[in-house]
Amino acid sequence: MFGNYSYAVKRKMALYTSASLLVVAAAPHVAHAEAPPEERLEEIVVSGAYEGRKLGETILGATVMRKEDIMRQLDGSLGETLKHQPGMSSTFFGPGASRPIIRGLGGDRIRVLDAGIGSIDASSTSPDHAVAVEPALAERIEILRGTAMLMYGSSAAGGVVNVFDGRIPTYVPEDDVEGGFRYSHSTVDDGDEVTGAVNARVASLGSTDLVVHGDAMYRKTDDYKIPGFSESAAFRALEEAEHEGEDEELEEEHEETFGIAENTATETKGGSVGASMVFDNGFIGMNVRKLDSQYGVPGHSHAHEEEDGAAGEEGHAGEEEFVSIDLDQVRFDLNGEIETDLGWFRKAKMRFAYADYKHTELEGEKIGTVFKNKGWEGRLDLAEKGGETWKGSTGFQVKRRDFSAIGDEAFVPATVGTQAGIYTVKDFTLGRWQLDVGGRYEHTKYEVDANPADDRSFDGFSLSAGAGYDLTDSAFVGVSVFRTERAPSTEELFSNGPHLATNAYELGDKELELETALGIEATYTYSTEAFSFVLNGYLTNYDDFIYERVTGEEEDGLEVFAFTANDARLYGFEAKAEYHVGTYKTETVGEIDLHVDAQADMVRAELKGVAGNDNLPRIPPFSALFGIEARADLFDIRTELEYEAAQNRTTAHELPTDDYLLWNAYLTLRPFDNKDLAFELRGTNLGNVEARQHTSFLKDLVPLPGRNLKVSFRAAF
């Protein structure tokens, strides 16, 4: 578990996975040198209680995305970049804002981490709020499915996405300097993206080296193209029924939203500088980063009346203004790690981050609502020396969030949230058996600025235990059980106001108590040099599961959605297989390795003890992906089919979603002797299919992008 991961091993792994800086600097030849199925399951996990464990021996579902994986799926947001992984989906609020969903869970149940520390933004508050973690600067992403809250807190009750971007150097570049550059252009949105980064050793004193880091990125896109109407057929039919007699005017409106997703343009820029002191048994470093993003909120516009408050001449409200968001974050990080004799412990890891986040919602040029989040988080993880058959770690975590919203849509009051937790995990190795136990205590407190009488505090206890067994040298099976407690979020407790992004008047419940989950998860992995297979199955029963319930009432012309606690059940599976078909020798391009892979996942989510419709909202349907890939020294080529089934298990306020099948293709060319230079061509949705993602609030207003060709050039040194 955590304790069996020495600094030397980590440094060696870092040199392997970070052979060049960031995703923009990834060496293009790595894609061809991708490890075979067996070696991919040997990948070392560095997140959560499984730190130091091989990927093929984690009891909970885990995925490690290396640079070549990230580059293939790289999109303008973290959610869209990750949604093709098993068990993953996204909130997709347009290309500017998309947060990961894991096994149907999102919001405050999924923690997005920047090298182990939270993103310190407002993305869990609403799906139209972007994550302040930039995937274009990621060199490695780890996904932990299922509860990861023992290490990362109750906001990780459904899983963790941990993004490593190398902003704080942890090793000395082999030739004292390394870096890279990447440029890409996409046709569906006439988008351009430029990213670059460099690490360099600038000084040495004895066995200590000073390594500096710098990176920058810029991305700009226009409104993206779509295959047909922006609104879905089901939504248009519903709208026509509601506005019978206005068909001509309605048809004209539809004509205006054909072939283009209005208000989906984005512009993002960011960069960071940092430095580290790297020594034989550890490092300590710091980094300062600035991120600035402006993006449209599709499917939404606010009508402004005349100055005298009267409607327009024909009884309509004044001119409609598109809604856009201006996001700005300045973040400071301090990380350190040392491996030495610390009494009971052998290694200490320290992480601290402070961020000043501001998110301004604009109605045309007018400022609507301003969200501010000044917060910090720190953690100390101590690896125990352990014994011949056991290892472990103990850690402390503290965070503070000073959140406020000012303006027309300030549906959450200004609140200061603090959380402190302590955890311990133990790992026992007994022959072929692997046993894990762990626990966490966490204290959460909310202080409401306007009304101290509403202050709440919670004390949560969480426990987990698991057992894994090596059936053979190639097969591993594991089972884990857990009981976790999650404190309700600020939004779930205190929301009270219109939230136009979701077309709802959101109403919190100040009396909500801890959400308790009791679950079981099983995993099976099999790997040989040519074939690998991973299957995860899970079942979780919730007491007082918190969700938004449609009350049937209206406020300010919006349906009232009340945060409610009810027992619930979630269950499902993920499966993935990869097969190396063989190596074929040719006279023109040399050896060609042929691979095929397939994956599938399914989740069901239902309320317990509810008469009638017991479905939970926006649950992803069954999905599958099948791919064929050929790799050679001069090129890599891949084609795949991506399928998402229809979703008919809906709540009363949802429309069903049709199924879709997308065809994607990828080509990487390395025509030069220097294999660190490469050209890439990526084609997505080549059939120009209308696809709507059921997990998105906007699915009936804005489909996914149509046919897109993306060309890129990248270089590393």
Side-chain angles (χ1 to χ4, degrees):
M1 201 179 277
F2 184 92
N4 63 1
Y5 191 45
S6 70
Y7 178 78
V9 172
K10 180 178 179 181
R11 185 169 180 178
K12 181 178 180 181
M13 189 204 71
L15 287 168
Y16 174 70
T17 61
S18 305
S20 54
L21 293 179
L22 311 179
V23 69
V24 303
H29 66 271
V30 171
H32 172 60
E34 183 177 359
E38 184 179 35
E39 291 186 19
R40 288 181 66 82
L41 289 178
E42 298 290 306
E43 183 81 55
I44 300 297
V45 178
V46 302
S47 297
Y50 290 109
E51 181 160 349
R53 184 77 60 82
K54 294 177 182 178
L55 185 61
E57 295 179 355
T58 58
I59 299 174
L60 295 179
T63 295
V64 175
M65 293 183 69
R66 298 184 293 181
K67 287 184 178 180
E68 63 269 20
D69 306 313
I70 299 168
M71 294 183 71
R72 177 177 296 155
Q73 302 298 339
L74 183 62
D75 213 316
S77 62
L78 186 63
E80 296 309 287
T81 300
L82 301 182
K83 72 178 185 180
H84 302 286
Q85 300 303 309
M88 301 292 294
S89 188
S90 71
T91 57
F92 187 68
F93 221 85
S98 182
R99 200 173 193 270
I101 292 174
I102 301 178
R103 294 176 174 175
L105 298 175
D108 192 56
R109 296 184 183 90
I110 302 299
R111 285 215 76 189
V112 176
L113 305 175
D114 189 334
I117 293 292
S119 55
I120 315 180
D121 53 29
S123 63
S124 64
T125 304
S126 172
D128 64 318
H129 298 181
V131 179
V133 175
E134 179 52 58
L137 299 176
E139 62 178 23
R140 177 184 177 94
I141 299 176
E142 295 191 354
I143 303 166
L144 300 183
R145 303 176 190 86
T147 178
M149 62 191 300
L150 292 188
M151 281 194 69
Y152 298 118
S154 59
S155 294
V160 157
V161 173
N162 202 357
V163 180
F164 300 88
D165 53 18
R167 290 185 294 114
I168 296 180
T170 61
Y171 64 95
V172 179
E174 186 175 349
D175 296 319
D176 290 340
V177 62
E178 62 182 13
F181 165 86
R182 184 172 186 263
Y183 167 76
S184 63
H185 177 81
S186 51
T187 60
V188 75
D189 53 12
D190 195 23
D192 294 285
E193 181 178 270
V194 181
T195 51
V198 64
N199 274 359
R201 178 169 60 179
V202 296
S204 297
L205 180 61
S207 60
T208 301
D209 297 290
L210 176 62
V211 182
V212 297
H213 168 88
D215 64 69
M217 65 83 56
Y218 178 77
R219 177 172 57 249
K220 183 177 176 59
T221 67
D222 293 335
D223 293 347
Y224 67 77
K225 301 179 182 68
I226 56 177
F229 288 116
S230 184
E231 294 176 350
S232 68
F235 186 84
R236 296 200 310 275
L238 184 64
E239 200 172 46
E240 288 169 3
E242 291 179 352
H243 297 275
E244 189 174 355
E246 303 176 14
D247 294 350
E248 190 172 323
E249 181 180 337
L250 195 60
E251 182 64 26
E252 183 179 342
E253 181 182 339
H254 290 157
E255 291 293 342
E256 292 175 356
T257 56
F258 184 92
I260 195 81
E262 293 182 324
N263 200 32
T264 56
T266 69
E267 184 175 11
T268 302
K269 50 184 176 290
S272 80
V273 292
S276 286
M277 301 289 290
V278 181
F279 34 92
D280 289 341
N281 61 341
F283 72 93
I284 184 167
M286 61 175 289
N287 181 275
V288 178
R289 180 184 68 188
K290 180 172 175 53
L291 178 67
D292 188 6
S293 180
Q294 296 86 37
Y295 57 92
V297 180
H300 293 79
S301 60
H302 293 178
H304 296 289
E305 296 181 348
E306 302 293 339
E307 290 184 5
D308 60 2
E313 292 182 3
E314 298 182 6
H316 298 289
E319 182 181 355
E320 288 193 336
E321 298 282 4
F322 283 122
V323 178
S324 61
I325 288 175
D326 186 351
L327 181 157
D328 182 78
Q329 186 195 57
V330 177
R331 174 170 169 141
F332 168 84
D333 284 89
L334 176 66
N335 290 359
E337 182 172 329
I338 186 169
E339 184 170 8
T340 188
D341 189 344
L342 300 170
W344 180 261
F345 305 100
R346 64 175 182 82
K347 183 172 66 171
K349 295 175 59 177
M350 178 273 297
R351 302 284 188 270
F352 176 83
Y354 169 83
D356 187 349
Y357 172 94
K358 183 179 179 181
H359 167 118
T360 304
E361 297 190 352
L362 302 169
E363 303 169 18
E365 299 296 326
K366 176 186 174 183
I367 294 178
T369 307
V370 178
F371 294 86
K372 294 183 179 180
N373 184 20
K374 291 185 179 181
W376 56 265
E377 181 177 348
R379 61 181 303 118
L380 176 65
D381 301 300
L382 300 169
E384 300 164 4
K385 290 180 178 177
E388 293 184 1
T389 60
W390 73 276
K391 298 179 179 65
S393 69
T394 299
F396 310 88
Q397 178 190 16
V398 182
K399 64 177 182 177
R400 175 185 171 92
R401 179 195 192 213
D402 190 347
F403 176 80
S404 66
I406 303 170
D408 297 336
E409 294 182 38
F411 61 95
V412 183
T415 308
V416 175
T418 56
Q419 188 178 90
I422 179 172
Y423 78 90
T424 187
V425 291
K426 300 292 182 286
D427 173 0
F428 301 88
T429 302
L430 305 172
R432 288 183 173 268
W433 285 95
Q434 186 81 36
L435 305 178
D436 304 327
V437 294
R440 178 185 178 93
Y441 163 73
E442 180 177 279
H443 176 75
T444 304
K445 184 177 181 179
Y446 299 111
E447 298 173 276
V448 182
D449 290 354
N451 189 6
D454 289 339
D455 293 355
R456 295 291 307 276
S457 63
F458 303 88
D459 292 289
F461 297 87
S462 299
L463 300 168
S464 71
Y469 184 73
D470 289 316
L471 296 172
T472 67
D473 291 341
S474 301
F476 174 83
V477 63
V479 177
S480 64
V481 294
F482 55 85
R483 183 187 184 278
T484 62
E485 294 181 333
R486 182 183 74 91
S489 68
T490 301
E491 295 73 32
E492 293 165 342
L493 289 168
F494 305 120
S495 291
N496 187 1
H499 190 188
L500 298 185
T502 57
N503 267 333
Y505 189 98
E506 296 191 355
L507 191 62
D509 184 350
K510 301 173 185 177
E511 304 304 318
L512 290 173
E513 298 296 340
L514 290 168
E515 177 184 275
T516 303
L518 180 63
I520 183 170
E521 179 164 349
T523 187
Y524 173 77
T525 63
Y526 179 82
S527 62
T528 65
E529 289 186 1
F531 178 74
S532 71
F533 175 73
V534 179
L535 173 66
N536 299 309
Y538 55 91
L539 168 65
T540 307
N541 284 299
Y542 288 90
D543 291 336
D544 295 328
F545 182 85
I546 301 170
Y547 72 105
E548 287 187 273
R549 175 180 59 87
V550 182
T551 66
E553 301 175 354
E554 283 194 4
E555 189 78 28
D556 292 347
L558 299 171
E559 282 192 290
V560 175
F561 285 67
F563 284 100
T564 306
N566 196 95
D567 295 348
R569 178 187 297 111
L570 274 76
Y571 59 94
F573 75 90
E574 304 112 17
K576 184 171 184 178
E578 182 180 354
Y579 178 60
H580 180 202
V581 177
T583 301
Y584 304 91
K585 296 183 178 180
T586 68
E587 295 182 359
T588 54
V589 297
E591 294 184 348
I592 300 176
D593 288 320
L594 184 63
H595 295 252
V596 296
D597 58 83
Q599 66 183 50
D601 60 71
M602 180 275 290
V603 59
R604 295 285 181 264
E606 55 196 25
L607 298 170
K608 297 163 65 176
V610 174
N613 191 329
D614 62 356
N615 297 313
L616 282 166
R618 291 175 300 281
I619 298 300
F622 171 84
S623 67
L625 185 145
F626 175 77
I628 302 176
E629 187 169 351
R631 305 169 190 160
D633 285 337
L634 295 178
F635 68 86
D636 299 323
I637 186 169
R638 174 182 174 85
T639 185
E640 65 185 24
L641 293 175
E642 175 187 350
Y643 175 71
E644 188 157 302
Q647 180 57 286
N648 297 308
R649 293 181 172 88
T650 60
T651 61
H653 68 283
E654 288 182 289
L655 291 173
T657 308
D658 294 335
D659 65 343
Y660 61 81
L661 180 67
L662 305 183
W663 174 33
N664 308 318
Y666 310 85
L667 172 66
T668 300
L669 295 175
R670 297 176 291 272
F672 309 110
D673 291 336
N674 180 1
K675 298 305 179 182
D676 289 341
L677 302 174
F679 296 94
E680 296 176 338
L681 179 63
R682 179 173 77 174
T684 54
N685 192 6
L686 291 172
N688 205 30
V689 173
E690 180 179 310
R692 298 181 184 270
Q693 193 163 294
H694 188 77
T695 52
S696 170
F697 274 95
L698 302 182
K699 73 179 184 69
D700 289 302
L701 301 177
V702 184
L704 297 176
R707 181 186 297 112
N708 183 32
L709 296 178
K710 185 175 183 178
V711 60
S712 303
F713 169 76
R714 53 191 171 110
F717 57 88

